[in-house]
Amino acid sequence: MDERFLRVELADGVAVVTIDRQEALNALNSEVIDSLHRVFHALGKEDSLRAVILTGAGKAFVAGADIKEMADFTAAQGRAFSRRGQRVFSEIEAFPRPVIAAVNGFALGGGCELAMACDLRIASEKAKLGQPEVNLGVTPGFGGTQRLARLVGGPAAKRLLFTGELLPADRALQLGLVDEVVPPETLLDRCRELAALIAQKGPVAVSYCKQAVNAGLDMSLERGIAYEAELFAQTFATADQKEGMQAFVDKRPARFAGR
Ligand code: CAA
C-alpha cells in the first residue's frame, strides 16, 4: 500500500498513514493528493480495519498545498487542482471508519484543511495551525472556508482567514479546531490509544455514528433525527447488535464481528 510519499502501517485493526515528503514539509502536490486517494481506497477494502491515524513525518503535519506547483497556474488549472484536493478530502471525510489526525507540527493551508476533513484532531504542543493563503494572494481551495466555519463558527473562521494568523496548539484547542493537545513524544501513542478504544466498539455502529453526524450537519434537525431513526433501526439487523446486547446481559465483554 506504500507510495513514494506515503507510508502505511496496518496492525491490530488500526492503520497509521504517514505523509513523508519532508523536503517540502509534506506539502500536497498532485502526486501526494493522488496517493492519498489510492491509499484510502485500498484501506476501505480492509475488513479488519477499525480506525485510521493520519500524520506527517518530521516537523510538519502538512505545510499546505504545494506552492511551487501552483505558482504558474491559470484559473482553469486552479479550479481543477482545488476540485482534485476537495474530492480526496471528501473521500476521507466520508471514509467508513474514524480518521484521527495526529497533528505533529505545521498544519497550514491545505494541511489544516486535511486535518479538518478528519473526524478527530489530536495535536502536539508543537503544532501550529492556520489558513495563511491570503499571504499568497489566494483563498483556501481544499475546503478551508467551509469546514473551518463549521468547526469554529463564522467570526473565528473569518478572523483566521483574513489575517492568515498561525495558531499555537493551545489556542487551536480553545477554538475547537483541535480536540486535545499532548506532548510531542506522546502524540502517536495517544492517537493509538483512542483508535484502540474505538476499535473495541461495534464497528457498524461507529460507522453509522460518523455517517449520522456528517449527514446531519447538512440537514434540518427534523430530517436529521429521522435519518438517525433509520440508522438506529438498521443496527437491529446486525449481528453486532445481537452480540452487544447479549454480552451486556451475560455481563461479559462483547466480541463484535463488524456485521
Ligand atoms: N509548498 C511547497 N513547498 C513548501 C511549502 C509549501 N506549502 N511549505 C514549505 N515548503 C518548502 C520550502 O520551500 C522549503 O524548501 P526549500 O528548502 O527547497 O527552499 C522547505 O519546504 C522548508 O521550508 P522553510 O525553509 O520555509 O521552513 P521554515 O521552518 O523556515 O518555515 C513554514 C516553515 C512557516 C511552514 C514555511 O515553510 C511556510 O510558510 N510555508 C508555506 C505555508 C503556506 O503558506 N501554506 C499554504 C499554502 S497554499 C494552500 O494550501 C492553498 C489551498 O488551500 C489549496
Side-chain angles (χ1 to χ4, degrees):
M1 233 182 265
D2 282 359
E3 301 260 339
R4 183 152 71 122
F5 297 128
L6 236 54
R7 278 199 313 276
V8 185
E9 295 156 48
L10 181 55
D12 303 324
V14 177
V16 179
V17 178
T18 306
I19 302 175
D20 191 350
R21 189 185 171 222
Q22 294 184 54
E23 65 279 13
L25 300 185
N26 305 329
L28 303 171
N29 60 8
S30 297
E31 182 176 347
V32 179
I33 292 168
D34 291 351
S35 292
L36 280 167
H37 162 74
R38 284 192 292 271
V39 161
F40 273 88
H41 185 74
L43 286 173
K45 295 183 177 161
E46 290 288 336
D47 276 351
S48 65
L49 186 74
R50 295 293 176 261
V52 179
I53 297 168
L54 181 59
T55 194
K59 71 174 181 180
F61 175 70
V62 166
D66 192 311
I67 299 168
K68 292 168 189 165
E69 180 173 343
M70 294 183 294
D72 294 323
F73 274 1
T74 61
Q77 288 172 309
R79 183 176 299 109
F81 190 62
S82 171
R83 286 315 221 170
R84 187 177 198 157
Q86 286 177 350
R87 242 188 331 266
V88 177
F89 287 18
S90 293
E91 285 166 6
I92 294 173
E93 188 170 58
F95 190 73
R97 304 292 180 215
V99 183
I100 302 171
V103 184
N104 52 301
F106 293 111
L108 307 180
C112 188
E113 293 170 297
L114 179 59
M116 289 192 290
C118 298
D119 299 298
L120 301 173
R121 282 154 292 281
I122 312 300
S124 144
E125 286 164 351
K126 284 190 180 162
K128 284 207 160 47
L129 297 95
Q131 298 288 159
E133 284 88 344
V134 287
N135 293 328
L136 303 165
V138 296
T139 64
F142 292 165
T145 59
Q146 304 307 303
R147 291 198 178 93
L148 187 61
R150 282 165 173 77
L151 207 51
V152 304
K158 284 177 184 166
R159 177 178 160 151
L160 283 171
L161 293 163
F162 295 169
T163 63
E165 184 188 356
L166 302 194
L167 295 177
D170 57 348
R171 185 79 190 105
L173 179 65
Q174 282 172 350
L175 281 181
L177 181 52
V178 300
D179 308 300
E180 190 177 336
V181 178
V182 297
E185 61 280 7
T186 66
L187 178 65
L188 269 187
D189 283 348
R190 177 65 186 132
C191 291
R192 283 202 170 94
E193 202 173 83
L194 264 176
L197 181 65
I198 293 167
Q200 293 164 14
K201 312 301 174 190
V204 177
V206 169
S207 182
Y208 283 3
C209 285
K210 173 167 176 169
Q211 221 173 296
V213 173
N214 282 358
L217 285 171
D218 290 330
M219 291 179 191
S220 66
L221 181 62
E222 198 181 350
R223 287 194 54 213
I225 58 174
Y227 185 59
E228 179 189 82
E230 193 43 46
L231 291 176
F232 180 70
Q234 285 179 26
T235 59
F236 287 87
T238 66
D240 284 355
Q241 175 269 328
K242 304 285 176 272
E243 165 62 12
M245 294 196 178
Q246 191 58 51
F248 176 83
V249 173
D250 296 348
K251 299 187 187 302
R252 61 168 173 82
R255 287 179 301 271
F256 292 113
R259 55 191 157 76

